[in-house]
Amino acid sequence: MTAQEVRLCGLLLQEHFGDVVEKVGTHLIRSGVLTLRALAHETKLPLDLVKKSLCVLMQHGMCAFGAGRRGPAGPVEYHIICERILHMLRYPRYIYTAKSLYGDTGELIVEEILQRGQMTMSSTVKTVADRLTHNMPEGQSMDYSEVVSAFSRLVETHFLQRCPPMASAESSSSGADNTPLPAVTQPTEPEDHPECYKLPYINLTGQGKRRRSSEDGEADPRAAKKAKTDSSERGDEGIYWQVNFQRFHLHFRDQAIISAVSCKLDQTSSEIVRTMLRMSEVTTPTHAAFTQALSANEIFRALPSSYNIARPILDQYLTLLVDDPMEFVGKTGDSGGGMFGSRSARIFRLLLRKRHLEQKQVEDFAMVPAKEAKDMLYTLLSENLVQLQEIPKTPDYAPSRTFYLYTVNQLPTARLLLQHCYKTVGNLIERRLYETKENKRLLEKSQRIEAILASLQATGAEAAQLTEVEEMITAPERQQLESLRHHINKLDSSENQVDETIFLLESYINSTQAPR
């Protein structure tokens, strides 16, 4: 794992779970595999804190465990799943996608499960119904059945999946002191189980309850026991659900393809491609380079009637898509692919299309002055974005008898750009944390005043009282707050944009490694 990825993982763990989990997680990333006691010894943290940190990481699928180097009789060893940590960059995008597809209910379901790592269906339905009810006008409430319906649709389209069950194993007395879970083995992949997308029957009827202000932050030791009892009575005890990140990634990839087809060709072509992707969205493997093969008749029957595309017109569009140089659509047996893309960018695109060009050809095709083309090519070469290939006419490699061709090696270039993106996201997160730390006192003051205002409004306070509380923040402080929020929003937006580029680069790298 590269230094930039380790740095980014550490920043994400610190931001979401705190310093202790960050220290444990980062040390595991650098060390590879460790036992519980070795991890506690090397991090110099209390054993209890290390156990809790590992539990947090495993709850969110970011840590795995299994038999150590001494076999089943030895202590259990732990390792970090860095890919799952990097997925935290996309949490806002997952939530927004759920909202756009399944409304506010779908948004809150995905948000709750992301925050807690994994939840039972009944617990999720009750929590989401209560949150929706709390935000409704007085006298209205959200029915549990509506939330169950949204949850069911998310499972049917594979955006949610069951957590894989733990396989029982013989516990070892020698390893019992070194692991909090000595009697289980590492769970397998969710997709390996036939009931991965099977919904349990839950005994849950009624409506969400409005949360009272007196209950906020209340820590009742009986709450956990009551929740466990309720779960067993509802019929889904022990059946936990998690977000299927790969399904969301497939959706992101499909949307990027549809957008690219629309920009390159037209709206009708993009709708045809959308239909093809929708037909195979659940059956296409995660990292497959192509969808399953579809006949023109199947595509025609699946097209929505509102498109008004006749069969001969569909055939013409399919031919156009197959013949397009971008090769968004290919016939069975044909290889397909495609790439998504100032003067340097023009030169880079030109090399992608022409594959090999001399410097003079680059100048002519790109219509760039000779001096500028030379400078740009050398800059791209120094950044390892393009490569120089020498083809000698004679065995002595004499410069006067050698062709010097510029080319782009796409896979190494994609990997290089991916590392640049990781570095950029890390810088953005560090800057946001710095801005928040520097203005901590002002932010805390603003939050206290907002809480007081909310409390006064709930009790029907007069306008004069509200105005008096609002004036506790001075005009310069208000201006500073506005400036800070503007900067934070800009950093958040930049982080999301860079992550879109990261997703495209990762998708390309994975597709080139997938079997054809």
Side-chain angles (χ1 to χ4, degrees):
M1 195 171 190
T2 66
Q4 294 300 337
E5 289 176 284
V6 174
R7 171 174 168 257
L8 180 55
C9 286
L11 287 168
L12 290 168
L13 288 174
Q14 182 183 26
E15 186 177 24
H16 287 261
F17 304 120
D19 294 336
V20 177
V21 175
E22 182 271 330
K23 188 173 183 179
V24 171
T26 304
H27 191 80
L28 263 181
I29 292 172
R30 292 197 171 103
S31 302
V33 178
L34 286 175
T35 63
L36 175 62
R37 292 198 176 275
L39 185 57
H41 174 73
E42 293 178 17
T43 56
K44 296 181 173 56
L45 290 170
L47 191 65
D48 187 52
L49 279 182
V50 176
K51 284 182 180 181
K52 290 178 180 177
S53 298
L54 289 172
C55 286
V56 168
L57 291 169
M58 285 188 285
Q59 175 78 8
H60 289 266
M62 298 171 186
C63 179
F65 61 90
R69 282 157 285 193
R70 285 189 274 173
V76 168
E77 293 184 336
Y78 299 86
H79 67 274
I80 288 291
I81 305 173
C82 300
E83 183 183 11
R84 294 296 288 269
I85 297 175
L86 294 174
H87 286 168
M88 286 194 286
L89 277 172
R90 300 195 185 117
Y91 278 11
R93 198 174 175 193
Y94 299 143
I95 294 168
Y96 177 76
T97 300
K99 179 182 178 69
S100 62
L101 294 176
Y102 301 104
D104 292 343
T105 308
E107 173 193 11
L108 291 182
I109 289 172
V110 171
E111 181 183 338
E112 283 292 329
I113 296 178
L114 284 175
Q115 284 182 347
R116 306 193 189 191
Q118 48 188 263
M119 295 177 71
T120 62
M121 181 178 177
S122 58
S123 177
T124 307
V125 169
K126 186 177 184 307
T127 303
V128 170
D130 290 349
R131 285 185 62 183
L132 289 168
T133 300
H134 185 72
N135 293 324
M136 287 180 170
E138 196 69 36
Q140 296 183 18
S141 58
M142 172 60 67
D143 197 275
Y144 287 154
S145 61
E146 294 185 40
V147 185
V148 169
S149 177
F151 193 102
S152 302
R153 292 199 302 273
L154 282 162
V155 173
E156 287 167 6
T157 49
H158 295 189
F159 285 105
L160 296 179
Q161 61 184 189
R162 282 194 189 191
C163 297
M166 295 284 190
S168 298
E170 295 181 2
S171 60
S172 169
S173 58
S174 61
D177 295 335
N178 295 325
T179 174
L181 297 169
V184 295
T185 59
Q186 174 62 21
T188 54
E189 289 299 316
E191 301 284 352
D192 295 340
H193 299 275
E195 296 186 346
C196 180
Y197 300 108
K198 182 180 178 181
L199 282 165
Y201 172 77
I202 59 172
N203 182 24
L204 189 64
T205 57
Q207 297 174 328
K209 297 179 181 178
R210 195 174 300 276
R211 187 178 67 251
R212 296 184 177 86
S213 57
S214 60
E215 295 175 355
D216 293 347
E218 183 180 354
D220 187 352
R222 294 171 295 180
K225 184 177 180 181
K226 184 177 184 298
K228 186 174 182 181
T229 305
D230 290 346
S231 180
S232 61
E233 291 175 354
R234 293 168 191 156
D236 65 341
E237 183 183 11
I239 301 175
Y240 290 90
W241 296 84
Q242 63 187 4
V243 170
N244 184 0
F245 297 107
Q246 301 305 331
R247 177 65 184 88
F248 275 99
H249 294 168
L250 281 176
H251 179 78
F252 298 159
R253 184 201 65 185
D254 291 351
Q255 294 305 306
I257 293 172
I258 293 165
S259 177
V261 173
S262 178
C263 293
K264 181 72 168 55
L265 299 173
D266 60 12
Q267 187 65 28
T268 304
S269 299
S270 71
E271 296 300 342
I272 292 171
V273 171
R274 186 195 302 274
T275 301
M276 295 174 67
L277 291 170
R278 190 177 65 247
M279 291 170 68
S280 56
E281 62 184 356
V282 176
T283 56
T284 301
T286 305
H287 296 302
F290 314 101
T291 64
Q292 64 177 3
L294 300 168
S295 69
N297 285 331
E298 290 176 318
I299 298 170
F300 180 70
R301 287 196 296 268
L303 282 170
S305 56
S306 58
Y307 293 168
N308 294 323
I309 301 175
R311 176 57 197 272
I313 302 297
L314 173 63
D315 291 339
Q316 292 176 17
Y317 270 105
L318 289 173
T319 303
L320 177 67
L321 287 163
V322 170
D323 294 339
D324 188 82
M326 298 296 281
E327 296 181 346
F328 290 110
V329 176
K331 291 183 179 178
T332 303
D334 294 343
S335 60
M339 289 290 296
F340 301 108
S342 145
R343 289 187 172 180
S344 294
R346 191 192 309 171
I347 291 174
F348 191 82
R349 270 199 306 269
L350 183 64
L351 290 173
L352 281 174
R353 291 179 181 175
K354 300 293 186 180
R355 303 296 176 88
H356 295 88
L357 289 176
E358 290 185 282
Q359 182 176 314
K360 183 66 171 67
Q361 292 175 307
V362 171
E363 298 166 10
D364 295 339
F365 286 126
M367 295 182 288
V368 175
K371 185 176 184 303
E372 289 187 28
K374 183 179 178 181
D375 290 343
M376 291 173 187
L377 282 170
Y378 287 172
T379 302
L380 290 169
L381 190 63
S382 66
E383 295 291 333
N384 293 320
L385 294 174
V386 302
Q387 289 77 39
L388 189 62
Q389 186 173 347
E390 300 178 1
I391 302 179
K393 296 179 184 177
T394 55
D396 59 359
Y397 278 83
S400 60
R401 293 186 294 274
T402 301
F403 292 110
Y404 295 94
L405 302 179
Y406 288 93
T407 186
V408 174
N409 195 342
Q410 296 181 38
L411 190 56
T413 302
R415 289 188 175 126
L416 176 67
L417 292 173
L418 185 59
Q419 295 306 313
H420 286 325
C421 289
Y422 286 144
K423 181 179 180 180
T424 302
V425 172
N427 290 340
L428 290 168
I429 293 175
E430 280 191 338
R431 184 64 189 180
R432 188 175 69 246
L433 293 174
Y434 172 79
E435 293 279 356
T436 305
K437 184 179 179 181
E438 286 295 302
N439 296 275
K440 183 179 180 181
R441 185 197 63 79
L442 183 59
L443 287 171
E444 288 176 349
K445 180 180 178 181
S446 173
Q447 289 170 355
R448 285 197 303 270
I449 292 173
E450 287 176 0
I452 294 170
L453 285 171
S455 177
L456 289 173
Q457 288 171 348
T459 56
E462 296 179 359
Q465 287 180 289
L466 299 176
T467 304
E468 184 179 350
V469 172
E470 288 174 351
E471 289 174 351
M472 292 171 66
I473 296 183
T474 63
E477 287 178 331
R478 199 176 299 280
Q479 187 176 359
Q480 187 179 349
L481 272 173
E482 287 299 320
S483 177
L484 175 63
R485 283 167 182 155
H486 175 72
H487 289 152
I488 295 297
N489 289 338
K490 208 169 182 182
L491 289 168
D492 286 338
S493 177
S494 300
E495 187 180 324
N496 290 332
Q497 289 174 359
V498 176
D499 180 61
E500 288 184 19
T501 304
I502 289 175
F503 173 73
L504 290 174
L505 290 170
E506 287 178 343
S507 299
Y508 170 71
I509 292 169
N510 290 333
S511 69
T512 58
Q513 296 170 344
R516 300 249 174 194

